Amino acid sequence: MPAPTPPTGLRDEVRAIRDAGRTSVLVIGAGINGISTFRELALQGVDVVLVERDDFASGASAASSHMIHGGIRYLENGEFRLVKESVQERNGLLKIAPHYVKPLQTTIPIYSTFSGILSAPLRFLRHGGGKPKERGAFLIKVGLTIYDTFSRDGGSVPRHRFLGRRKSLAELPALDPAIKYTATYYDASMHDPERLALDVLQDGRATHPGALAVNYVEAVSRDGRTVTLQDRESGETFSITADVVVNTSGPWTDLTNAALGTQTRFMGGTKGSHIVLDHPELLAATRGREIFFEHSDGRIVLIYPLKNRVLVGTTDIDADPREPAICTEEEVDYFFALIRHVFPAIPVSREQIVYRFSGIRPLPRHEDTAPGFVSRDYRIEVDETGEAPLVSLVGGKWTTFRALGESLSDVVLDLIGRTRTVSTAGRAIGGGRDYPRTASARATWIAANLPGAGGRAEQLLARYGTRAAEVWRIVSEDTDEPLAGGVVSTRELAWMVDNEMVTRLADVVFRRTNLAFTGHADASALTELADALAPLLGWDSVRRDHEIEDTLRLLATQHGYQAAGRAHA
C-alpha cells in the first residue's frame, strides 16, 4: 500500500465539502449522538454533512464510564420510559455491536436493610428534590425486581440475585466485612467507546456518497441557510448552505447556537471525572465484576475492571462548558475514600493512577435540582423562525444513541419532506457484523481471515471486530514494524490515516488506540508514533515536534499523566 500523498492545503474530506457547497442537512457536533444521526440520515439516502471542531468522539463521548446500562436508578425518578428504552437498547447493542459491548456482571454492596425507604418516594414525588440517602436492601430489591421486568429480553439476561454477608464475602472476600448483603445483576460494558463511535461513523460514510464527515472543522457563523465553516488545520473558511441545521454539540449546544446567531438556554451540564489505576490487588478483588452503587451523596460509584486496569468514578458537579473539565485532587481524594468504603483493606495511592479523565454531561438546565438527580433523558428543540430550521438536541447518553439518532433523524426527515426507508433496529454496526461469539468460532474466524497474524490476531479482532480482516489484508501486504511497544504498527497506522481520518498525534494516542488510557503514552512511544505519522500526513520537523509537545501537554494538564523523559528529534 503506497503512502498517501502528503496533503497540500485542504484535506480531501474538507475539499469535498467545500466544493459541494450545499447539503440537505448539516449536523454540527460529532459526538456519538451526532454520529448516530449522521448514519441514520445517510442510510435514508439523505445528503448530510457532519462537522466536528475537534476529533470525532473527543468531547463528552470520550469521558463516559464505559458502560451501556439501563439506568436502574432512573426508576426512582419515575423515568420509566427512559429505563425501558435504555434496557432495550442495551440488549440490542449486545447483539449488533458485540465486538465492543459485552455483558457485565455488576454487584451492589449493601450496608442496611431499610435505608432510603422514606427519602426515595419523596424524591420520586419531588422529581429528584429530596435529600439523597444510601439505599438499603429493601429499596434495591424492589428496584431490581422492576428492572428485571424491563431488562431480561426473553431471558437472555439473568435475573438479579441477593446474597447475605457470608455468601457475599465468599464470592468477593476483599469486600468490607461490614456489608449486610450484595445484589448482583447484569448490565453491559463498552470497552472502546471512541472506536464504537468510529464504526457508526464509517457505516454512515460508506452507505451514501452524499454523506460527508470531517473532524477539525468548526461552524463559526450563520446567515439564513448558509453556515460559515473554518478548517482548523489550514485556517481556511468557506460556506455551505443547508435546508436544516442540526446542533448535536452536547454540553456546548448553547454556545454553538450563539455562534449561529440564536440565543438559547437549554443546557446545564455536570462534570463527571474518573481515574484509571494500575493496581493488580484491586483488580483481583473485583473478580471481573463491576462494583456499583449510589453513594449517600446521590452520586453513582463504580469500581470497574477494564483493560487490565481498574476504572473508578464518577463525580457529578455543576460545570461551565467554556472551561476545560479536569479531574481535581479533591475528586481523587473522593475516589480513594470510595475504594476504602468498599475494599477497606486494600491501600491505594496516587502513584497507581495511570490516567485521569473528565467530561461534561450534556444534561438539560436543572435550576435547583441536585446534579445527581437531573434527568438523563433527551429532548429535541426545533426553531423554525429562520430561513432554515435549527434543530437542537438537549441531553442524551451513550446507551440510547441508536434510538436517539433514529428519533432525531425522523424529526429532520419530516422537516425536509422525506420518509424513513431503512431501520437501524437490529442492524449490525461495523465490525459487529458476523462477529464470532464463542472461542471455537473465534479460532475458526481468525484462521480464515487473519492468516499469519499470530499474537496480533486477538488484538486486531478486539480493536476492529470483523473489520480486522480488511485491516490485516492491507497490513500483511508489505513490511510492517511494531510501534509503541506493539500497541500499533507502521502499516496499521497508515491504514488509520487513510480510513479513520487521523489528523493529529493525539487522535491515535487517545482515541484510535488505548495507549493513553492504559498509561503507556510515554515520550518514547509518542516520538515513535510522530516519526511514523510525519511522512503519512506531510508534517515537517516543526509540525512533528509540535504534535509531540501538544500531546504531552494534554496528557499532563488534562489527564494528570507525566510522560517519562522528554521527546527529542
Side-chain angles (χ1 to χ4, degrees):
M1 178 185 64
T5 303
T8 56
L10 292 179
R11 293 166 288 159
D12 290 344
E13 295 85 4
V14 180
R15 188 179 297 108
I17 293 169
R18 182 200 63 182
D19 292 350
R22 79 164 316 278
T23 186
S24 293
V25 182
L26 173 65
V27 180
I28 301 170
I32 185 56
N33 292 316
I35 289 172
S36 178
T37 303
F38 170 80
R39 180 180 77 136
E40 291 281 344
L41 292 169
L43 284 166
Q44 315 314 316
V46 173
D47 289 347
V48 54
V49 167
L50 174 67
V51 297
E52 165 58 49
R53 73 179 306 274
D54 292 305
D55 190 22
F56 303 110
S58 63
S61 297
S64 79
S65 296
H66 290 60
M67 290 173 60
I68 297 292
H69 66 98
I72 181 173
R73 76 187 187 96
Y74 307 153
L75 291 172
E76 197 170 298
N77 290 349
E79 296 184 280
F80 298 108
R81 189 212 70 80
L82 179 60
V83 174
K84 182 178 181 181
E85 180 179 78
S86 295
V87 295
Q88 287 175 341
E89 292 301 308
R90 181 204 66 193
N91 293 343
L93 285 168
L94 285 166
K95 296 172 183 175
I96 66 177
H99 52 324
Y100 297 134
V101 180
K102 314 282 185 181
L104 178 63
Q105 190 176 15
T106 302
T107 293
I108 306 172
I110 306 169
Y111 287 84
S112 71
T113 303
F114 296 109
S115 178
I117 285 180
L118 295 178
S119 60
L122 289 174
R123 277 196 304 279
F124 179 90
L125 294 171
R126 297 172 183 171
H127 303 285
K131 184 179 179 181
K133 188 176 180 66
E134 195 166 352
R135 279 90 181 126
F138 181 82
L139 194 61
I140 291 171
K141 178 68 176 178
V142 170
L144 284 172
T145 300
I146 298 172
Y147 197 59
D148 279 345
T149 66
F150 285 115
S151 182
R152 297 196 66 232
D153 190 30
S156 64
V157 179
R159 290 186 183 277
H160 78 273
R161 58 190 178 91
F162 257 75
L163 295 178
R165 177 187 289 120
R166 183 177 60 82
K167 289 185 177 179
S168 295
L169 293 175
E171 288 194 355
L172 296 166
L175 277 180
D176 182 0
I179 62 165
K180 288 192 173 182
Y181 315 91
T182 59
T184 297
Y185 67 103
Y186 278 82
D187 259 330
S189 63
M190 177 172 53
H191 290 199
D192 292 280
E194 299 89 342
R195 293 213 60 87
L196 175 53
L198 277 174
D199 249 16
V200 178
L201 177 72
Q202 301 290 37
D203 282 355
R205 293 178 70 208
T207 197
H208 177 51
L212 304 173
V214 68
N215 49 359
Y216 299 105
V217 169
E218 183 174 7
V220 295
S221 65
R222 181 189 187 207
D223 183 8
R225 294 178 178 271
T226 301
V227 177
T228 299
L229 304 176
Q230 182 176 48
D231 176 26
R232 299 183 67 207
E233 285 292 294
S234 68
E236 181 172 333
T237 60
F238 57 96
S239 297
I240 185 169
T241 61
D243 299 322
V244 176
V245 177
V246 180
N247 181 355
T248 53
S249 52
W252 302 278
T253 293
D254 291 328
L255 301 180
T256 299
N257 282 342
L260 300 178
T262 299
Q263 299 299 319
T264 57
R265 296 182 75 248
F266 296 143
M267 308 306 298
T270 65
K271 184 180 76 163
S273 296
H274 303 76
I275 57 174
V276 181
L277 298 166
D278 184 359
H279 196 317
E281 185 182 3
L282 183 60
L283 181 67
T286 66
R287 299 286 179 96
R289 306 182 190 189
E290 177 192 37
I291 309 300
F292 178 87
F293 60 100
E294 192 168 7
H295 196 41
S296 57
D297 60 6
R299 296 174 181 173
I300 289 297
V301 179
L302 56 94
I303 302 171
Y304 172 13
L306 186 67
K307 299 182 185 299
N308 208 34
R309 301 287 185 263
V310 181
L311 177 66
V312 182
T314 176
T315 51
D316 213 342
I317 304 167
D318 285 328
D320 184 344
R322 293 166 294 189
E323 301 294 330
I326 296 172
C327 178
T328 65
E329 293 304 318
E330 292 78 10
E331 288 173 295
V332 172
D333 290 339
Y334 174 75
F335 294 142
F336 283 2
L338 294 176
I339 295 170
R340 288 192 295 270
H341 180 64
V342 180
F343 296 112
I346 298 179
V348 291
S349 70
R350 278 169 166 75
E351 289 70 31
Q352 294 162 320
I353 301 174
V354 296
Y355 191 63
R356 309 181 191 192
F357 63 98
S358 188
I360 301 178
R361 301 175 181 88
L363 302 181
R365 186 171 293 275
H366 50 271
E367 305 306 338
D368 294 331
T369 302
F373 299 107
V374 179
S375 173
R376 267 52 175 177
D377 211 343
Y378 58 88
R379 73 177 194 268
I380 299 164
E381 298 280 351
V382 181
D383 179 356
E384 296 189 72
T385 59
E387 292 183 34
L390 173 62
V391 181
S392 299
L393 173 65
V394 181
K397 63 195 190 88
W398 257 105
T399 302
T400 56
F401 76 81
R402 190 215 62 85
L404 186 156
E406 183 179 66
S407 297
L408 182 50
S409 62
D410 282 344
V411 170
V412 174
L413 288 170
D414 185 61
L415 289 170
I416 62 175
R418 299 279 292 270
T419 57
R420 174 172 294 276
T421 58
V422 176
S423 172
T424 54
R427 186 186 183 95
I429 293 172
R433 294 183 185 90
D434 303 318
Y435 184 78
R437 294 171 182 267
T438 65
S440 61
R442 287 171 73 88
T444 300
W445 190 92
I446 287 171
N449 294 280
L450 304 177
R456 292 188 65 189
E458 288 292 342
Q459 180 192 62
L460 291 169
L461 187 59
R463 182 171 291 160
Y464 301 101
T466 53
R467 278 184 166 153
E470 173 194 350
V471 178
W472 181 244
R473 179 179 59 79
I474 298 298
V475 167
S476 60
E477 283 178 352
D478 205 347
T479 303
D480 186 43
E481 299 295 334
L483 294 168
V487 170
V488 71
S489 69
T490 51
R491 289 182 63 77
E492 186 185 353
L493 195 65
W495 188 90
M496 289 178 176
V497 169
D498 280 351
N499 295 275
E500 295 186 341
M501 289 180 279
V502 166
T503 304
R504 301 182 182 179
L505 175 60
D507 301 342
V508 176
V509 172
F510 291 103
R511 289 170 291 279
R512 305 307 186 277
T513 71
N514 58 27
L515 201 66
F517 185 91
T518 54
H520 290 129
D522 59 26
S524 175
L526 299 189
T527 300
E528 278 191 34
L529 290 170
D531 285 343
L533 284 170
L536 299 172
L537 292 168
W539 294 345
D540 59 17
S541 60
V542 174
R543 174 66 186 264
R544 167 201 168 275
D545 291 348
H546 168 78
E547 288 293 325
I548 296 170
E549 293 300 323
D550 191 56
T551 305
L552 287 171
R553 178 188 60 80
L554 288 172
L555 283 164
T557 60
Q558 293 189 231
H559 302 288
Y561 177 69
Q562 299 294 333
R566 298 280 292 176
H568 297 288

